[in-house]
Amino acid sequence: MLELKNIQKSFDGVQVIKGVNLKIKDGEFVSFLGPSGCGKTTCLRMIAGFEHQDSGSIIHNGKPLDGLPAHKRQLNTLFQNYALFPHMTVFENIAYGLKAHGVKKTEIKPRVMEALEMVHLKGFENRYPAEMSGGQRQRVAIARAVINRPPLLLLDEPLTALDAKLRIAMRYELRSLQRKLGITFIYVTHDQEEAMTMSDRIVIMNGGIVEQEGTPEEIYYHPKTKFISSFIGETNLFDAVAKRVKGKLLSLDAEAGTCPAIDYETFRDGAIVNVSVRPDKVLWETASSSSETELTDGTRYFSGVVKDVIFTGSLTKVYVELTNGAEFKITRLSACKLPKTGEAIQIGWKPEDCVVIHSPADEIHQAIENVDLGEWVRKQNAELAKILGIQNF
């Protein structure tokens, strides 16, 4: 339905979008997720037509949108501040788009009432925005945005101004509405949980590029970069050296111990890698007893001491200090049996539950390894000899 082809954008000589390529299918709920300044809102504004790319093309249903003003694009935008008309009633706010598109008067009222019922605001049609709560105003803005049934709806952090409880409720309402209407949603957010719970697909941006795109499960359990691994949820991240055992099988030598990994044929023997293990995947056993064991296969990777146990409600977090001083986290449902503060434990995980990621440090290491120091010294000596006028230096 929508395609971004090598989109680039600069502001005041600073490139903020660095060649974004993306395809979005009809009826998808796609979230742009990333830290502040990563370029996600700029991408949304270029799709909407509020900004124009320096190069590249935006194609909607096979037709380029390049240079087309915002009001001529067949899409709607839902803003963070709702942008409701304060002097108009709820009915008038929602009907505004229909009137602007020349819909017959006889059709306007039934369509507005249908939209109000859809967002659970039937009976509020004669109120003004100032007489409503933030959540109610949000629903009015949603009704106004979808009443024309646009094929594509752009949402720019629309839930940011709501309190935490209402935000959670509105997430499910938006997701339910999107499924009911079948409209393609492109949603910009910096909230990881929001993106994970609402999206069919997440596009993670960092520094003006797309670092990874995929389903919430793919992003969470199979991050492709160190940034994504640490940005999405909590993880245990450590450096290791990949040692090829045979075929695809690697062992990972870390400062705190050694652990195996499986099916990683892309790493050379001796490569420096980053390893990510989610806290909920970490298994544990006390050093003194096997009655509490979760490590049923006899594997022991790292040893450490429990430094803190924090109850957060439905979940409890265990912080373990490893023998090398690094920290490891274990997360469990609070009803589960967990080690106590001060207890010595051993931790591990199933080989398929760790993710091995290419490390930038390995590229630097490779570059250094490839330098012929002898040749470099000879060249430096020759240059010095020229300067000093010495032969056979």
Side-chain angles (χ1 to χ4, degrees):
M1 180 190 193
L2 187 76
E3 184 175 4
L4 277 62
K5 285 187 172 181
N6 196 29
I7 299 299
Q8 300 190 48
K9 179 68 176 178
S10 297
F11 291 107
D12 299 324
V14 178
Q15 193 174 22
V16 294
I17 303 295
K18 305 171 183 176
V20 168
N21 292 281
L22 187 66
K23 291 181 179 181
I24 295 173
K25 297 177 184 177
D26 189 21
E28 263 194 311
F29 194 126
V30 176
S31 289
F32 284 14
L33 175 66
S36 296
C38 70
K40 57 187 184 294
T41 297
T42 301
C43 277
L44 192 82
R45 288 178 62 81
M46 287 191 291
I47 295 169
F50 302 131
E51 300 283 354
H52 294 286
Q53 67 270 20
D54 298 332
S55 61
S57 188
I58 299 174
I59 300 168
H60 181 218
N61 287 332
K63 297 179 180 179
L65 299 179
D66 310 329
L68 201 65
H71 68 277
K72 290 189 177 181
R73 303 190 182 199
Q74 291 184 325
L75 46 86
N76 281 357
T77 305
L78 184 59
F79 298 100
Q80 186 176 325
N81 62 359
Y82 316 148
L84 299 177
F85 299 113
H87 63 288
M88 292 185 182
T89 64
V90 168
F91 185 97
E92 291 167 337
N93 264 284
I94 297 172
Y96 182 84
L98 296 176
K99 292 177 181 177
H101 283 80
V103 175
K104 294 178 182 179
K105 287 184 178 180
T106 53
E107 293 181 24
I108 289 176
K109 185 172 181 180
R111 286 180 64 175
V112 172
M113 298 310 292
E114 181 190 9
L116 283 168
E117 192 165 354
M118 193 164 43
V119 296
H120 311 295
L121 283 177
K122 195 173 180 180
F124 286 76
E125 55 267 25
N126 294 320
R127 292 195 187 185
Y128 288 90
E131 299 171 336
M132 306 178 78
S133 68
Q136 290 168 339
R137 288 196 296 271
Q138 174 67 65
R139 292 180 189 180
V140 174
I142 292 169
R144 187 179 62 178
V146 302
I147 195 166
N148 285 319
R149 301 290 174 96
L152 178 61
L153 181 61
L154 310 176
L155 303 98
D156 184 13
E157 304 202 54
L159 307 183
T160 302
L162 304 181
D163 62 69
K165 190 173 182 180
L166 188 56
R167 282 184 73 167
I168 293 171
M170 286 302 300
R171 287 174 192 168
Y172 294 104
E173 288 200 25
L174 267 178
R175 179 61 174 155
S176 176
L177 189 64
Q178 187 265 340
R179 286 178 172 173
K180 181 180 178 180
L181 297 175
I183 295 173
T184 305
F185 275 26
I186 301 180
Y187 192 96
V188 163
T189 181
H190 63 272
D191 188 310
Q192 301 162 28
E193 187 178 342
E194 207 163 82
M196 298 286 280
T197 56
M198 298 172 71
S199 313
D200 296 317
R201 194 154 50 100
I202 299 174
V203 177
I204 298 186
M205 296 192 67
N206 182 36
I209 64 169
V210 174
E211 287 231 356
Q212 186 173 347
E213 57 173 290
T215 65
E217 292 82 4
E218 287 170 345
I219 295 290
Y220 186 81
Y221 286 116
H222 303 286
K224 291 183 177 179
T225 67
K226 183 178 180 180
F227 166 77
I228 294 170
S229 180
S230 56
F231 181 72
I232 298 292
E234 286 191 293
T235 193
N236 296 294
L237 196 62
F238 60 93
D239 297 326
V241 176
K243 299 290 186 182
R244 189 160 297 284
V245 180
K246 60 178 180 178
K248 297 180 180 180
L249 191 64
L250 301 174
S251 70
L252 302 168
D253 292 343
E255 198 176 42
T258 300
C259 51
I262 58 172
D263 293 336
Y264 278 102
E265 59 186 351
T266 56
F267 295 97
R268 64 177 179 82
D269 187 51
I272 300 170
V273 296
N274 300 130
V275 185
S276 172
V277 185
R278 297 293 182 185
D280 57 300
K281 296 296 184 181
V282 179
L283 308 176
W284 66 276
E285 177 182 278
T286 59
S288 59
S289 172
S290 60
S291 62
E292 301 165 340
T293 185
E294 292 184 328
L295 296 168
T296 55
D297 62 356
T299 303
R300 307 291 182 271
Y301 301 160
F302 299 160
S303 298
V305 175
V306 177
K307 285 299 182 184
D308 208 353
V309 179
I310 299 176
F311 174 79
T312 65
S314 60
L315 295 176
T316 295
K317 298 179 181 181
V318 178
Y319 292 85
V320 182
E321 185 178 311
L322 304 181
T323 52
N324 68 336
E327 184 181 84
F328 234 74
K329 294 184 285 289
I330 304 172
T331 302
R332 289 290 184 279
L333 291 172
S334 293
C336 295
K337 190 174 182 65
L338 287 166
K340 299 176 178 61
T341 303
E343 223 170 354
I345 66 170
Q346 294 172 317
I347 60 174
W349 49 87
K350 294 177 182 177
E352 62 267 28
D353 288 336
C354 79
V355 179
V356 185
I357 302 166
H358 286 280
S359 172
D362 188 56
E363 297 177 14
I364 297 170
H365 177 73
Q366 282 273 78
I368 293 172
E369 287 286 305
N370 292 334
V371 172
D372 185 339
L373 290 178
E375 179 62 24
W376 182 82
V377 170
R378 283 191 291 273
K379 286 183 179 179
Q380 295 303 310
N381 284 344
E383 289 294 323
L384 184 59
K386 284 182 183 179
I387 293 169
L388 300 176
I390 301 173
Q391 293 182 345
N392 301 322
F393 183 70

